Amino acid sequence: MAVWPRQARLGLPRGRGALVVVVTFGLVLALLAALHREPGSNAQLPDDSAIRAVLDDAPLRGYLAGAGYTRERVTPLDDRVVRVSFFHGPRIVLDAAVAPDGRVTNEIRYRPGYIRAGGEVAQRPLVLALLAAMFVLVTASAPLRSLRNLDVLALASFVVPIVLLNQRLLEASVYASYPQLAYLCVRCAQVGFRPRTSAAPAAPLLRLPPRGLALVAAGAATALVLLAIPGGLVGDVAFASMAGATDLTHGVLPYGHLPQGELVHGDTYPLLAYAAYIPAALVSPVKTAFDQLDGALWVAAAFALLTAGAMYRTGARASRAAGLRLTIAWLCFPPVLIAASAGSNDLAAAACVAWAVALAAHAGRASVALALAGSVKLVPFLALPVWILRQRGGALVRSVGAAAAVVAGVVVWVVVLGGVDGLGDMARAVGFQAERGSLLSIWTLAGAGAAQVVVQAAVVTLLVAGAARVWVDRAFASDLPRIAALAAGVLLGTQIAANYWTYAYLPWVFPLVAVALLIPERRPGDQAAT
């Protein structure tokens, strides 16, 4: 019969620890169920009217006549606008946003050869296969039949939804994404809550000397830059980031000021998601989609390389070879290359998370980095409780103070540019993330709103239990892989429970997952710096 060690029980007697978790889950579930509202439940336009509005638009009617369609699906984008999606069999052919007055405000025509985001070359099946193969080779270990290699395959398998989405098989791509997301979330939670391991370091499947690994890393970095900058294609996120950065250079908040004709809710990111692109906006300001947007590719590629440096520093705690392997894994992870070739702000958040891990030995600096990540993509703020509560005494004070200083700095910046009303404008714009509706969600496709609430309650319970575990168990202060695992579990769980998911989100959780699952196990007595 399995018996949990005392330190694996949140510091509570065995039965009471489980009871606390169950009660917490029940209370959170009841609260979320009371507050839950289906996305767009107040939408003002009936489904049949929205479909008719699209079909009454002459250019779109002509396009659909040529593309052919067999079914439609209407989903609310927010409380005003609905999205009408037309499918020809399993393939999506058109998305159209329809306003309450029946006007089609935005459209996406999915033609053969469609690429969801990023450069075309980076997403050719052969390129994706080579990237996935290199990722597996540098991260897999011997023997082949191991849980670690299953983790590697789960990460590599995210090429499947990428290929499916680029084949316009939108629904299939969504269903192909969530199993590995759920697996990695559970694995990270298991690593975080298990007793401290005494396993020997994993033996690499591909053995190369450090010099050989360094050459591979340099080649991977060069390939990423070439595929991202001359080979990239800026997406809507990058356009929003550049337009918002341009507004900031003129002393204007992006909230409510981005061109709605070009974007739908392009102002839905925290302030630093736009501020990260200020260097490019100073060189090449952006007001419309006809302006020069390549600056976004330079910014994204720079953040990708900055993250690579952090990954090397983190892995090098185990050995130089481990650092190089982690660097190559990052550079070859397909969602990273796609995000870079699209100029996505997800890589800015990824760099901040990666440096939070790399600077884990410095309480204040690490908390600053993680708070900066939250000020880019918001969700990384949820990792702060686990990250901060591992500290004690002066280190705890520095961690809390450092994170608070970042948040205060952003608030002051907003107030200086937009007054107190600017805070409300930002809150309303960012709040769209909580109410948006999208087909890129298993909950929307399956009509499983009740199950989504259960998952959300489980994620909140994981966050509370993880924070409590770190606080009461002093062993966590010197065990970075377990801390990273709990933080990764929370972030992955949040991605699963949200109303929208894209593989572009994976880069900013990857540094935590890599530390939790891909760095060789430490032997007893080997401790991570705190």
Side-chain angles (χ1 to χ4, degrees):
M1 181 177 68
V3 178
W4 281 18
R6 186 172 183 81
Q7 66 268 28
R9 290 184 264 129
L10 301 178
L12 297 171
R14 182 177 176 184
R16 287 167 56 190
L19 180 61
V20 168
V21 171
V22 171
V23 170
T24 300
F25 173 77
L27 292 174
V28 173
L29 179 60
L31 178 61
L32 291 178
L35 297 175
H36 180 70
R37 184 170 64 92
E38 290 296 329
S41 56
N42 295 327
Q44 303 171 34
L45 193 66
D47 290 2
D48 56 348
S49 298
I51 296 170
R52 187 165 57 252
V54 178
L55 295 177
D56 285 344
D57 184 288
L60 294 182
R61 186 171 62 250
Y63 167 75
L64 287 171
Y69 73 96
T70 56
R71 59 191 173 99
E72 319 92 5
R73 186 158 188 168
V74 180
T75 52
L77 186 62
D78 55 28
D79 283 345
R80 296 185 65 258
V81 179
V82 297
R83 177 193 289 108
V84 185
S85 303
F86 292 83
F87 292 82
H88 183 72
R91 299 183 191 275
I92 189 168
V93 296
L94 174 69
D95 266 336
V98 184
D101 60 3
R103 289 181 302 109
V104 176
T105 59
N106 302 80
E107 63 180 75
I108 301 177
R109 302 185 185 192
Y110 299 89
R111 295 184 171 91
Y114 163 81
I115 296 296
R116 176 74 185 185
E120 184 272 334
V121 175
Q123 297 184 71
R124 291 177 181 173
L126 178 59
V127 174
L128 290 173
L130 290 174
L131 287 171
M134 180 58 70
F135 177 85
V136 170
L137 284 175
V138 298
T139 54
S141 61
L144 287 176
R145 294 182 62 182
S146 67
L147 198 55
R148 174 192 169 90
N149 286 343
L150 189 58
D151 301 336
V152 170
L153 288 177
L155 287 164
S157 69
F158 282 110
V159 299
V160 175
I162 294 172
V163 172
L164 290 174
L165 193 55
N166 289 340
Q167 292 297 316
R168 299 176 291 152
L169 299 170
L170 182 146
E171 293 163 324
S173 75
V174 173
Y175 287 119
S177 302
Y178 281 76
Q180 55 267 53
L181 277 174
Y183 168 80
L184 290 170
C185 179
V186 171
R187 272 286 289 140
C188 287
Q190 181 260 332
V191 169
F193 282 103
R194 75 185 180 188
R196 193 169 191 172
T197 182
S198 59
L205 187 64
L206 177 65
R207 295 177 179 272
L208 286 176
R211 180 174 295 181
L213 290 172
L215 290 173
V216 173
T222 302
L224 182 142
V225 171
L226 291 176
L227 289 171
I229 297 176
L233 181 63
V234 173
D236 56 351
V237 173
F239 171 47
S241 300
M242 288 289 290
T246 301
D247 283 343
L248 288 175
T249 63
H250 291 90
V252 177
L253 290 175
Y255 308 108
H257 296 104
L258 296 188
Q260 292 299 310
E262 308 278 4
L263 299 164
V264 180
H265 292 289
D267 58 354
T268 189
Y269 304 108
L271 189 65
L272 296 192
Y274 306 101
Y277 288 75
I278 285 178
L282 288 171
V283 176
S284 181
V286 169
K287 286 294 186 181
T288 73
F290 295 102
D291 292 323
Q292 176 56 254
L293 297 169
D294 285 354
L297 301 176
W298 287 89
V299 170
F303 278 119
L305 296 180
L306 190 62
T307 306
M311 301 296 286
Y312 173 77
R313 175 168 174 163
T314 298
R317 290 193 182 102
S319 67
R320 182 177 177 226
L324 290 168
R325 289 178 182 278
L326 214 57
T327 302
I328 297 168
W330 163 259
L331 294 169
C332 292
F333 189 48
V336 170
L337 177 57
I338 293 173
S341 70
S344 174
N345 57 29
D346 293 284
L347 292 176
C352 294
V353 172
W355 278 100
V357 176
L359 296 172
H362 307 279
R365 298 177 201 174
S367 293
V368 165
L370 198 53
L372 288 173
S375 299
V376 174
K377 295 300 289 188
L378 201 63
V379 173
F381 274 129
L382 297 178
L384 273 173
V386 168
W387 201 256
I388 289 176
L389 291 178
R390 66 195 174 101
Q391 310 288 352
R392 294 293 187 277
L396 176 61
V397 173
R398 289 193 299 274
S399 291
V400 173
V406 171
V407 175
V410 172
V411 169
V412 169
W413 194 356
V414 172
V415 172
V416 167
L417 296 184
V420 176
D421 290 343
L423 293 175
D425 293 339
M426 180 174 69
R428 283 188 292 273
V430 175
F432 165 71
Q433 298 285 3
E435 68 179 37
R436 75 187 301 178
S438 173
L439 288 180
L440 291 174
S441 163
I442 195 171
W443 316 113
T444 301
L445 288 183
Q452 182 183 16
V453 174
V454 173
V455 173
Q456 290 171 344
V459 174
V460 174
T461 304
L462 174 62
L463 172 59
V464 173
R469 175 70 186 278
V470 171
W471 178 249
V472 302
D473 188 346
R474 292 299 298 134
F476 268 95
S478 59
D479 200 330
L480 182 59
R482 285 200 295 166
I483 294 168
L486 288 176
V490 170
L491 298 191
L492 286 167
T494 304
Q495 291 188 15
I496 294 169
N499 295 328
Y500 174 88
W501 184 83
T502 170
Y503 45 78
Y505 292 165
L506 291 171
W508 44 264
V509 74
F510 181 86
L512 295 167
V513 174
V515 172
L517 303 180
L518 300 183
I519 290 182
E521 297 274 11
R522 290 179 174 80
R523 298 179 186 275
D526 291 345
Q527 297 187 357
T530 59

